[in-house]
Amino acid sequence: MDNYLISLHPEWYAKILEGTKAEEFRSRAPKGGVPFAVLAHKTGTKTASLSFVVDSVREVDTEWGCVAWHIKQGSVSEVGPFALHELVKAGTGRPVKSWPQMYARIEVPDVS
């Protein structure tokens, strides 16, 4: 399963963590398909500490077009925090240097 890094505004981060937000709306979905894992950070911070699994994606009919990522029930957890320099771009072996606007495929450090 691929891992993706995203940024969430604090209010949406909190709602996902407490389980009151079951979908995350984005302009697109990763090309690899579902399921995929998400590692998220609060906008304005330099650490990622929330993870969840997306088990389905659906198109949403809006004037600007978007997709809804359905968050798998029971998959949300606080992890880390992972500092920016601990996250590596998948396939490159290089640290992530800046938070992407949408997402970047990443390799998460082994925490075992």
Side-chain angles (χ1 to χ4, degrees):
M1 180 176 345
D2 286 335
N3 299 294
Y4 295 92
L5 175 68
I6 65 169
S7 174
L8 293 168
H9 288 282
E11 62 270 22
W12 306 131
Y13 182 101
K15 288 184 181 295
I16 289 172
L17 185 58
E18 66 191 24
T20 58
K21 187 174 194 284
E23 291 186 316
E24 173 59 18
F25 297 91
R26 295 282 161 159
S27 61
R28 59 191 167 114
K31 293 179 181 179
V34 292
F36 59 89
V38 173
L39 186 60
H41 75 95
K42 289 181 195 173
T43 303
T45 66
K46 296 269 184 186
T47 57
S49 59
L50 178 68
S51 72
F52 55 88
V53 173
V54 174
D55 60 4
S56 66
V57 175
R58 66 180 175 85
E59 289 190 31
V60 179
D61 188 22
T62 64
E63 62 185 61
W64 51 275
C66 74
V67 293
W69 297 1
H70 183 265
I71 299 167
K72 182 178 180 180
Q73 188 174 7
S75 72
V76 178
S77 64
E78 283 192 291
V79 295
F82 292 110
L84 182 65
H85 68 274
E86 294 176 297
L87 302 174
V88 174
K89 288 183 185 177
T92 68
R94 291 184 296 235
V96 174
K97 294 194 189 248
S98 62
W99 296 115
Q101 189 170 358
M102 175 60 181
Y103 52 72
R105 195 159 76 73
I106 60 166
E107 293 175 5
V108 179
D110 183 13
V111 293
S112 57

